[in-house]
Amino acid sequence: MKRFLMIAALLSVATAATAARLTPDEQLAKAIEGRVAGEPVKCIHLRDIRSTRVIDKTAIVYDTLGPTIYVNRPKAGAAFLRDDAILVTDTHSSELCNIDIVKLMDPGSRMLSGSVGLGDFVPYTKPKTDRRD
């Protein structure tokens, strides 16, 4: 009986964790929440990238030093995107562009697990608030 209760408790925790996990589209919506999309750009400066986040089979979100984040929906290979993947970027300039290919590395095996051909970078910024005091 004790074993049954323990198994039931573990199953309910696993089910709750799975239900609480957001879909890739929901994760992207949360990342850009409160921001307004700008005109897509072909390149972003590498020096401005503070961090990146991979959204499963959907996009790469580039957080920059300024108030802007850039969302890149790859032109090819999006099926290889996993939220735990390590991005391996090999560029020959000071910019990351829509013609670049980003390799993906599995964090466990440290082996390449795919690559994506980047698309345009869509900037998302928070709208300026009109403050009247």
Side-chain angles (χ1 to χ4, degrees), residues 65-78:
L65 295 173
T68 305
I69 63 170
Y70 291 88
V71 175
N72 190 291
R73 289 182 176 262
K75 291 184 277 192

Side-chain angles (χ1 to χ4, degrees), residues 80-130:
F80 291 110
L81 290 174
R82 290 190 1 224
D83 62 2
D84 64 344
I86 298 168
L87 300 178
V88 181
T89 306
D90 181 23
T91 61
H92 301 283
S93 73
S94 61
E95 296 181 313
L96 185 61
C97 296
N98 64 356
I99 61 169
D100 289 323
I101 295 175
V102 174
K103 296 175 186 171
L104 303 162
M105 184 183 291
D106 179 78
S109 67
R110 302 284 185 188
M111 297 198 55
L112 293 179
S113 58
S115 61
V116 296
L118 295 177
D120 286 341
F121 296 85
V122 179
Y124 285 87
T125 55
K126 291 187 178 181
K128 292 183 172 45
T129 57
D130 186 22

